[in-house]
Amino acid sequence: MYEYEILYDLSKSRFRSSFHLKKNDLDYIDSIGFDTLKKHAKEIIINRLAKYDEIKDGKQTPMKNHPVFISQHATATCCRKCLEKWHKINKYKTLDDIEINYIVNIIIEWILIEYRKNRKMS
């Protein structure tokens, strides 16, 4: 069912499973497409999460206004503390390309699952 087993584990969390894409998020995805959405996800991870910042950690990801932000909370990729707890990625080290791509792929996979629940996709 899930490409990433962690998504199944996260779906069991009351908090993580409370996040869902809304109609405006789905419409936004329709307008920009998944390739652009994936580029946005990568830019967001690089700019907001790649380097550990103790002062900003836990506050760098808004709870709304972009499908990637919603997905980050659903997938526990919203801050370094959550990345360490759920994904076992050391919160103090700068993310490398492999970790960034892993995070982006999990975000996009969750969005695809949500999208498929709400839109007809072939």
Side-chain angles (χ1 to χ4, degrees), residues 1 7 19 26 38-39 46 48 51 57 60-61 68-69 75 77 81 86 91 93 99 108 113 118 122:
M1 181 175 176
L7 292 177
F19 292 95
L26 299 167
K38 191 168 185 174
K39 288 177 191 171
I46 289 169
R48 293 176 177 257
K51 292 182 182 171
D57 197 46
Q60 69 268 56
T61 305
V68 171
F69 296 150
T75 61
T77 58
K81 182 178 176 182
W86 285 93
K91 74 179 187 176
K93 73 176 268 311
E99 292 162 330
I108 296 301
I113 291 166
N118 295 286
S122 40

Side-chain angles (χ1 to χ4, degrees), residues 21 26 113-120:
L21 295 179
L26 299 167
I113 291 166
E114 279 287 303
Y115 188 90
R116 288 179 183 129
K117 285 180 193 174
N118 295 286
R119 295 277 205 261
K120 297 283 185 215

